Amino acid sequence: MLGASNSRLISPLIRREILKDPEVEAVLSFAVSQSGRQLSIQATVRTTRGDTLSLSEVFNG
């Protein structure tokens, strides 16, 4: 799926997509990790209402 160098390239793209949501004010933390064919994305965001949300998504390749 993704090698380490591709992971570094795709991380800013995913972060940018999160920020496109009009209710997301800021990305407070962000991590992408890979284990075999599984890609995990974890982020913590602050919403325009001041809430802090944790997001997690796992993709199996």
Side-chain angles (χ1 to χ4, degrees):
M1 191 191 251
L2 292 175
S5 61
N6 287 335
S7 222
R8 283 191 294 271
L9 293 173
I10 200 166
S11 291
L13 300 173
I14 296 169
R15 188 182 191 116
R16 203 171 338 172
E17 288 301 312
I18 292 170
L19 286 168
K20 283 183 180 180
D21 186 313
E23 293 190 28
V24 173
E25 182 175 90
V27 176
L28 304 176
S29 67
F30 181 81
V32 173
S33 61
Q34 183 179 2
S35 177
R37 295 178 53 90
Q38 187 177 69
L39 180 71
S40 299
I41 302 168
Q42 297 175 330
T44 303
V45 301
R46 183 175 55 239
T47 68
T48 55
R49 291 183 259 174
D51 298 323
T52 301
L53 301 175
S54 293
L55 311 170
S56 180
E57 191 67 48
V58 177
F59 299 93
N60 293 301

